[in-house]
Amino acid sequence: MMRSLAVSTLLAACVVVAPEAFAQEEGGRFYGDRILRCESKDGEDNICPADVRGGVRLLRTLSRTDCDENKTWGVSSAGVWVKDGCRADFVLGYGGSVGSGTGSRVMRCESKGNRWTHCPSETRAGVELVRQLSKNPCMRGQNWGADARGVWVSGGCRAEFRMMVDVANEAPREIVRCDSVEKRPRHCPIDTKGGVRVFRQLSRAACIEGRSWGVDDNGIWVEDGCRAEFEIHQKPQPSNG
């Protein structure tokens, strides 16, 4: 009797607390502060306001309709958009697609033999762990972190990290798309002297610099199914004065 009463009390508490576990937002629903549910009801377009500067990833599709990036869902400066019946949960702040005004690049850093390792990189706009590669957990502040000169790892942490870059005040840029179709290598001619970074990944296959994409003096190369939009910065012109 007492056990049944305790279970009933617990269920009642869940009914009361569960609706408070998320906060309602216009057009979307937050579960905690990282999971956003965004729904296209009756096939209508919908924008769910969110801070997308740290990246957005599809967590789970809730609809029978497929949720395909840049077809039925995507990211803008205002948040996450969905259409054509796509309903899904999205993870915010752990890498992935980003809205306008923010660029990024992904770098691998590895602690081999549990040794402390430093990987030089630009970290002023922030660093996010994108994908853990090691069996040992990668925990920020314990066996990985960032300083003014780059990312450090220790204790066997091996992972891919995303360097966020604020491009609002940078030099003029151009967005170029380069696709590896059916995993075949492709070269896209473009002037890369001003610098290149992934602006938005379009493929399910990961676009990792040095592995599935890179640059040379004549352009951008992609392979292994990487399809992405790349941000090309124009090389500063020498002043006449």
Side-chain angles (χ1 to χ4, degrees):
M1 184 74 168
M2 292 297 294
R3 183 176 180 180
S4 300
L5 180 61
V7 171
S8 300
T9 303
L10 178 60
L11 291 174
C14 289
V15 171
V16 173
V17 174
E20 298 176 356
F22 55 81
Q24 291 282 355
E25 295 285 342
E26 183 180 353
R29 178 177 293 174
F30 275 99
Y31 289 75
D33 62 348
R34 292 293 189 180
I35 307 300
L36 169 69
R37 178 165 294 180
C38 197
E39 300 176 306
S40 165
K41 296 181 179 179
D42 298 323
E44 295 183 357
D45 294 1
N46 186 24
I47 296 181
C48 302
D51 183 352
V52 299
R53 290 173 295 177
V56 178
R57 289 181 178 272
L58 178 67
L59 177 63
R60 66 177 64 88
T61 300
L62 305 173
S63 55
R64 293 184 178 179
T65 303
D66 289 338
C67 291
D68 294 329
E69 189 171 5
N70 296 315
K71 291 182 179 180
T72 56
W73 79 272
V75 183
S76 70
S77 58
V80 178
W81 59 263
V82 292
K83 66 177 184 178
D84 297 337
C86 169
R87 298 186 298 108
D89 288 338
F90 300 90
V91 180
L92 308 182
Y94 291 98
S97 297
V98 295
S100 58
T102 306
S104 63
R105 69 179 287 266
V106 174
M107 177 189 69
R108 175 179 289 196
C109 196
E110 301 179 328
S111 166
K112 296 181 179 180
N114 291 335
R115 292 190 297 270
W116 188 91
T117 303
H118 191 271
C119 301
S121 184
E122 174 59 67
T123 61
R124 286 180 297 177
V127 178
E128 296 282 356
L129 189 151
V130 177
R131 186 161 66 103
Q132 183 175 304
L133 304 173
S134 57
K135 292 183 178 179
N136 292 355
C138 292
M139 303 179 66
R140 188 162 196 163
Q142 294 188 28
N143 56 359
W144 83 270
D147 55 31
R149 298 180 297 109
V151 176
W152 60 265
V153 291
S154 64
C157 168
R158 298 186 297 108
E160 291 167 356
F161 300 91
R162 183 180 297 274
M163 309 312 126
M164 305 310 298
V165 181
D166 184 0
V167 299
N169 298 314
E170 288 193 359
R173 58 196 173 100
E174 178 181 1
I175 304 299
V176 173
R177 179 169 177 166
C178 196
D179 295 349
S180 165
V181 179
E182 296 181 352
K183 297 189 176 182
R184 292 194 298 266
R186 183 183 178 188
H187 190 272
C188 301
I190 192 73
D191 185 353
T192 61
K193 295 182 178 63
V196 179
R197 64 169 63 95
V198 174
F199 178 70
R200 181 178 294 111
Q201 181 175 305
L202 306 175
S203 57
R204 291 185 178 180
C207 292
I208 302 173
E209 188 172 4
R211 289 176 55 189
S212 54
W213 80 272
V215 299
D216 54 33
D217 292 339
N218 300 313
I220 301 169
W221 59 264
V222 291
E223 61 184 22
D224 293 335
C226 169
R227 297 185 296 107
E229 293 174 348
F230 296 90
E231 183 180 81
I232 316 298
H233 284 258
Q234 298 178 12
K235 189 176 182 180
Q237 298 294 324
S239 60
N240 295 327

